[in-house]
């Protein structure tokens, strides 16, 4: 079994966890969204250990933009992107907002 990517982070995982908690602290309805996010969600949850160890305020699932597109029978492709976490997050937010207006 390969070691988790969590063991190779440039920041200590406690610092990452604190950053995430600070980011969502004022949100009373937390949703996490991704694009083909299954593996990303597993790694995210590994910050806390097992999924059942997630903070109580967190959902135990990640919403997926691809599934939302499929349910609306629309396909919006990510183009001309650097393809890094920040650019991906911006694209996911923009695409989600477009889909919600439909």
């Amino acid at each position: 079994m390969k070691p988790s990517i969590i063991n190779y982070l440039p920041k200590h995982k406690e610092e990452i966890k604190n950053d995430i908690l600070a980011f969502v602290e004022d949100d009373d309805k937390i949703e996490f969204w991704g694009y083909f996010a299954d593996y990303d969600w597993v790694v995210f949850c590994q910050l806390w250990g097992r999924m059942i160890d997630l903070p109580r305020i967190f959902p135990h699932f990640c919403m997926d933009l691809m599934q939302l597109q499929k349910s609306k029978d629309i396909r919006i492709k990510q183009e001309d992107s650097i393809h890094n976490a920040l650019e991906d997050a911006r694209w996911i937010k923009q695409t989600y907002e477009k889909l919600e207006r439909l």
Side-chain angles (χ1 to χ4, degrees):
M1 180 178 210
K2 289 185 177 181
S4 168
I5 192 170
I6 295 298
N7 297 326
Y8 303 102
L9 297 173
K11 276 186 172 182
H12 190 274
K13 72 179 184 178
E14 291 301 318
E15 187 177 357
I16 296 169
K17 288 166 47 174
N18 289 336
D19 289 348
I20 293 167
L21 289 169
F23 181 74
V24 300
E25 73 181 343
D26 295 328
D27 196 337
D28 60 348
K29 187 182 174 201
I30 297 171
E31 290 183 358
F32 293 105
W33 281 83
Y35 184 64
F36 290 101
D38 297 336
Y39 294 113
D40 297 338
W41 184 245
V42 169
V43 172
F44 178 86
C45 291
Q46 286 176 344
L47 287 168
W48 280 270
R50 302 168 301 163
M51 187 171 293
I52 62 171
D53 298 326
L54 286 171
R56 291 185 189 269
I57 59 171
F58 284 11
H60 283 219
F61 60 92
C62 181
M63 306 293 284
D64 194 287
L65 189 64
M66 186 61 206
Q67 292 174 346
L68 180 60
Q69 290 185 70
K70 187 167 177 62
S71 72
K72 293 181 178 271
D73 200 29
I74 295 171
R75 180 76 160 104
I76 302 171
K77 292 185 178 182
Q78 185 176 10
E79 297 177 17
D80 300 328
S81 175
I82 299 170
H83 191 66
N84 63 48
L86 186 55
E87 287 299 316
D88 291 351
R90 288 180 179 135
W91 178 82
I92 289 167
K93 181 180 185 297
Q94 292 166 354
T95 303
Y96 171 80
E97 289 170 348
K98 285 179 192 175
L99 291 168
E100 285 298 297
R101 286 191 299 267
L102 298 177

